[in-house]
Amino acid sequence: MNLFFRAKPKIPQSTILEVDGVPVTIAVRVHARARSYRLSLPHASGPVLTLPPHGKWAEAEAFLLKHRSWLAARIKRAPEASHFGDGGVVPLRGVEHRIVGMGKVRGRVERVELDGLPTLLVPGEPAHQARRLTDWFKEEAQADLAARSAFHAERLGVHVRSIRMRSQASRWGSCSSTGNINYNWRLVLAPPFVLDYVAAHEVAHLVEMNHSAAFWATVERTLPDMDRGRAWLKAHGRQLMAHGA
């Protein structure tokens, strides 16, 4: 054994940091394109410490300790995950709906008015109601986003090849140069003008695969009041991401 050389400390998959007296689990990731250490708090998950490929664990720990106060402040501001079970309240197209478990095993989610209040009737055992409701939201989002994507594609003269719903923790959509678009299903919870903005944004990438001035001009060409949806997401995006987390 060579006593003059010590093995490089192994980078763990997670670590614990005490924040305001409470132990917080922090996921540790090594990202091939990262150029520096980064601490983040994604919308729908816990804190993540990202290291560049050449990163050293001792330096990463020091970086984490240095940013303990920043993390404490962000955790306090983070929205709580919503409850998708019986008695919960969730928005649909920007309108708050009560969730009522139907008690029966079979059936589909139904939107009704009960006592003058918008209500979602959800079938299934209590343990499965959240999944049933999430699946239904994905179907509704698929229909809405397919329609708005087709609308903007026609206006911009491009072709959308496929549309899929995803559950990204920090993204509202993504578009490939081949015309495949992924959307976050939670967009159907927001007011329709927000969903419309994201659809216009992603379809515009089929004209400009970047975020240049030309790209934003393309978005505005198909959606003149794009700033309305963009501003709403900036103000309320974190809370929207917390639904179904």
Side-chain angles (χ1 to χ4, degrees), residues 156 175 197-223 226 230:
L156 295 176
C175 179
Y197 160 69
V198 177
H201 182 119
E202 297 307 328
V203 172
H205 277 308
L206 295 176
V207 180
E208 295 282 346
M209 290 297 293
N210 51 57
H211 285 102
S212 64
F215 165 77
W216 290 111
T218 302
V219 180
E220 190 171 21
R221 176 154 55 93
T222 188
L223 187 67
M226 68 170 192
R230 191 180 182 189

Side-chain angles (χ1 to χ4, degrees), residues 131-183:
R131 178 183 58 79
R132 288 279 188 95
L133 185 55
T134 299
D135 288 345
W136 184 79
F137 279 141
K138 289 179 180 178
E139 293 175 4
E140 295 293 298
Q142 178 80 33
D144 286 5
L145 285 160
R148 298 315 297 168
S149 296
F151 173 83
H152 293 298
E154 183 177 358
R155 286 173 66 90
L156 295 176
V158 294
H159 174 68
V160 175
R161 182 178 179 183
S162 69
I163 292 175
R164 294 185 176 88
M165 296 302 106
R166 294 287 184 263
S167 296
Q168 302 102 318
S170 60
R171 303 182 71 177
W172 297 114
S174 61
C175 179
S176 73
S177 58
T178 56
N180 298 316
I181 300 179
N182 294 326
Y183 288 113

